[in-house]
Amino acid sequence: MRTEDLLAAIATGLWRWDSVSGAVSYDAEAARLVGLPAEPVTLPEAAARACFHPADWLEIKAIVDLAVAEGTLAEARLRIVDEKGTVLRTVRTRSRPIARGGSEDGYYLLGTLQEVPDPLPGTSAAGPPVTGDWRRNREAFLLDAGRALAEAMSTAEVLRVAAGLSMPGFSPEGLAVFGVQGERISVIGHHGPRPGADHPFHDIALGTDYPAAEVVRTGRAVYLPTPEEYRGRFPAAWSLGRPRKRRSWAFLPLIVAGRTIGAWMAGFAHPVSFSPDERSVLTTIARMLAQALSRTALQETERELADGLQRSMLPASKPDIPGLTVAARYVPTGGGLQVGGDWYDVIGLPSGRTALVIGDVQGHDVHAAGIMGQLRIAVRAYASEGHHPDAVLSRASRFLAGLSALDGPDGPDGPDGRYGPRFATCLYMEVDPVAGTLDIARAGHPDPAVRLADGTMMIRPTAGGLPLGIDPDTDYPTTRVVLEPGETLLMCTDGLIETGGHDLETGWDRIRKVFERPATLTDDPGALPSHGLGSDDLEALADSLVQAVHGPPSHHTTGPLADRREDDIALLLIRREAEVCLVGPGSAPVRRTAVTVAQAEPERIAGTRQQLRDMLHDWADPDQVESAVLMLSEMVTNVLVHTDGDALLVAEVSGRHGSRRLRLDVADSSDELPHRRRPGELASSGRGLLLLEMLADNWGVDPRGDGKCIWYELYEASPNARPDPAADGSGPRA
């Protein structure tokens, strides 16, 4: 008797599907079961698909793909429908893929069809249905698992996600992930009652007779639904491991781009038959887990590379400058490798002084980091030769311009594929810790900021030139700033100021709130502000500044710009140690600033006005502040207009809060003393001394051997209680 006749006698049909041509062949019994005339027939795939419920056809396609990948049987239940979509019957199919002769890609799928009787009333069909709640739960689980694995940012996080997976209907009791290194495999993550370190197969050779090792060697999954099957297939592993508490095991390969990177084991405390649907879920999870592990391993390698590259380009140790405390931070946030063009450096000079430099090369990529490294070495070399700050930046600009010329005129996406020219901003500072002087040269970089001894932050405007590399012949004038004892200076790149949608103004406002915070004044007239003098306090301040930009507080201080870009951050904090003897009991720290306005730089008057406003930010009477700014502007302008020299401005605020004194001196090199004039109604000048008489509490002119100094004083009081300068006999004098 033929096989077909024997199968027909038990109502079982045969069918075959050619994966290359798509043709589906039925024998007579199989044709009858799918609703066709009871005779052998060969149909194209589209005609064969019309006999099945659309959802079931998609299901059988997925099950067949799984069987082909694993080399196992494909089992499924299918609903047969007529032309109107009415379900005629339900059939069960079992099939096996067989490779085509002479073809490496195609295969034949040979299988059987058998009708499944309808369940009796009050009973349910054996096994999970192909469609229904189980399928919906499975799809929801796979979506959640895929999202969680895609969001994991490290290998440890991927393993935690894998350990927390709760599969629909058959959650594993224990999980283990095996990694491959050469000819050995080891457990890189596990979850369950057995610790990974004392597992007999925690670290084994690839040739060991163990399911995970076989999976890695063959690239095919191993399903062990019963302890008997485990013991029969892997007797050595069973005797060593003695997995008595589990009843079923699944070992699946972790494959990425055709390469097996490890294996995944799921152990179950209850028997699991590993139906096609269950195997499909496990295979999908294994694929997602492999992709997540490969992605996080690559990211961790890139982070390690970036950290090593950046560490090699930054100072190897914390700088030690007598009389100064220094804190530094570098936070890379831009570019795929988390490395960019920001840098800082501390350089010992032949004169015994120290140079501090901070800079930012255009771009956030490896090329920017490479240019940064070369520029840093060049600046260090020029500084070590003993050049002044302006000469160091001039030489560095010519160096960068020559370096960019070698890269060609086209950008990274240009026709020749080369990187285009880059520029860099830089702030170079030569420090004399004994005198407290800072000689600063600036190339397109943000100005430094100073926190005075009482906690007030002021931005120090400095002269500057174009960024390095734009014009090789640019000059970089030098500005001298005096850092008083107890004051702290901040040098930073624009990432600290503008990250998070901020512009220059709002960015400095955000920094001001943090920079001034450590210095808090008290109502005790004999107490000093708690700005802290230890190096730990300066380190904490550096951390607070970074947290304000990238930590949780940054979410509450977003800027007005729509562009919420992130940028690399480099910052240097230097503090001149306070001399305790300078501040006695009952006294308060003095705010002091000094600015030089050159004849060729009248635009710097606006900066001096802003500095005075910053000094008087907590002055009791706002009208007095405006008066002080007006008198400053008149005095400095008078020097620039009526003399041939520069104006040196020194402003000092002393005393306790509520009763402080502002004294402002403007000195010049001219011996000609100012005199009163009676300007007409339309005159544009001649009112400077009249303003001093009207607005100042005290003022005067002091002749000096090399010029003169005109000064005024204001005494702080509430707007409704202004003191009368004449009451104590003090008044204007000339």
Side-chain angles (χ1 to χ4, degrees), residues 278-447:
E278 292 166 342
R279 296 204 312 271
S280 177
V281 170
L282 291 169
T283 301
T284 303
I285 291 297
R287 290 172 180 170
M288 292 190 297
L289 182 59
Q291 293 291 337
L293 288 172
S294 176
R295 172 178 52 81
T296 55
L298 179 61
Q299 291 175 345
E300 289 170 354
T301 301
E302 290 177 345
R303 283 195 292 268
E304 184 178 354
L305 172 63
D307 291 343
L309 176 63
Q310 202 64 51
R311 282 194 298 268
S312 68
M313 294 182 177
L314 296 177
S317 60
K318 183 178 179 180
D320 184 15
I321 306 175
L324 296 178
T325 303
V326 181
R329 292 293 183 273
Y330 176 80
V331 182
T333 59
L337 279 180
Q338 298 292 298
V339 64
D342 292 24
W343 94 95
Y344 67 88
D345 204 353
V346 181
I347 308 169
L349 302 178
S351 62
R353 298 183 179 183
T354 302
L356 303 177
V357 59
I358 193 167
D360 182 3
V361 176
Q362 174 198 10
H364 305 94
D365 49 33
V366 177
H367 188 59
I371 293 179
M372 176 265 286
Q374 297 178 75
L375 183 59
R376 172 178 173 265
I377 293 173
V379 170
R380 174 174 281 271
Y382 296 141
S384 300
E385 291 176 354
H387 298 293
H388 292 293
D390 55 342
V392 171
L393 291 192
S394 295
R395 285 167 167 78
S397 182
R398 287 194 291 271
F399 169 81
L400 184 56
L403 192 66
S404 298
L406 297 177
D407 287 331
D410 298 312
D413 300 323
D416 63 355
R418 292 178 294 179
Y419 288 94
R422 303 286 182 106
F423 63 84
T425 65
C426 185
L427 185 69
Y428 183 94
M429 179 184 303
E430 185 175 317
V431 182
D432 184 350
V434 177
T437 58
L438 312 173
D439 293 328
I440 303 173
R442 186 170 61 87
H445 203 82
D447 285 307

Side-chain angles (χ1 to χ4, degrees), residues 257-275:
R259 183 173 62 92
T260 303
I261 64 171
W264 175 49
M265 185 277 290
F268 301 87
H270 56 279
V272 178
S273 62
F274 298 117
S275 67

Side-chain angles (χ1 to χ4, degrees), residues 564-715:
R564 307 288 182 185
R565 71 182 182 91
E566 292 189 349
D567 199 355
D568 305 327
I569 290 176
L571 67 89
L572 273 171
L573 289 169
I574 59 172
R575 183 180 57 229
R576 189 180 180 192
E577 298 300 342
E579 301 176 16
V580 179
C581 62
L582 297 180
V583 182
S587 64
V590 175
R591 299 181 191 174
R592 183 182 294 108
T593 184
V595 180
T596 299
V597 181
Q599 282 282 338
E601 298 176 326
E603 65 277 2
R604 297 196 63 192
I605 297 179
T608 61
R609 289 197 294 260
Q610 184 59 45
Q611 283 201 68
L612 186 59
R613 286 193 174 94
D614 291 342
M615 286 189 68
L616 304 178
H617 69 96
D618 56 352
W619 199 265
D621 188 354
D623 290 339
Q624 279 190 307
V625 175
E626 295 305 317
S627 297
V629 172
L630 176 59
M631 289 187 288
L632 175 149
S633 185
E634 285 289 335
M635 294 162 64
V636 175
T637 302
N638 186 70
V639 171
L640 299 185
V641 171
H642 297 290
T643 72
D644 296 329
D646 303 335
L648 173 62
L649 178 148
V650 179
E652 179 181 285
V653 177
S654 59
R656 295 188 298 272
H657 188 74
S659 59
R660 291 172 292 184
R661 182 195 72 169
L662 165 67
R663 179 180 173 104
L664 189 141
D665 296 6
V666 176
D668 62 77
S669 58
S670 173
D671 295 332
E672 183 180 355
L673 299 179
H675 57 276
R676 273 189 193 84
R677 297 162 57 187
R678 297 184 179 275
E681 182 178 352
L682 300 180
S684 59
S685 63
R687 297 184 175 85
L689 296 184
L690 296 178
L691 287 173
L692 291 178
E693 290 180 350
M694 294 174 58
L695 301 177
D697 293 321
N698 202 358
W699 70 276
V701 180
D702 295 338
R704 296 180 176 177
D706 56 350
K708 65 180 180 298
C709 173
I710 182 169
W711 57 270
Y712 72 80
E713 293 178 348
L714 284 179
Y715 307 128

Side-chain angles (χ1 to χ4, degrees), residues 441-586:
R442 186 170 61 87
H445 203 82
D447 285 307
V450 175
R451 191 181 75 189
L452 304 181
D454 69 342
T456 302
M457 188 196 94
M458 297 180 59
I459 300 173
R460 294 288 192 186
T462 56
L466 293 173
L468 305 178
I470 293 181
D471 184 358
D473 298 325
T474 299
D475 293 328
Y476 296 97
T478 302
T479 303
R480 171 162 290 188
V481 173
V482 177
L483 193 65
E484 300 290 344
E487 293 183 348
T488 303
L489 183 137
L490 166 66
M491 307 164 61
C492 66
T493 56
D494 58 353
L496 186 68
I497 303 172
E498 299 178 348
T499 292
H502 286 272
D503 54 22
L504 201 60
E505 180 178 357
T506 61
W508 276 121
D509 289 341
R510 175 176 58 174
I511 293 174
R512 183 187 304 276
K513 296 176 183 177
V514 180
F515 201 26
E516 292 183 343
R517 188 182 305 156
T520 55
L521 296 174
T522 107
D523 295 332
D524 183 0
L528 292 176
S530 58
H531 55 276
L533 301 178
S535 60
D536 292 340
D537 295 328
L538 202 64
E539 295 291 339
L541 177 58
D543 291 334
S544 298
L545 289 169
V546 173
Q547 282 292 309
V549 177
H550 286 295
S554 65
H555 299 291
H556 307 288
T557 57
T558 55
L561 305 179
D563 179 16
R564 307 288 182 185
R565 71 182 182 91
E566 292 189 349
D567 199 355
D568 305 327
I569 290 176
L571 67 89
L572 273 171
L573 289 169
I574 59 172
R575 183 180 57 229
R576 189 180 180 192
E577 298 300 342
E579 301 176 16
V580 179
C581 62
L582 297 180
V583 182

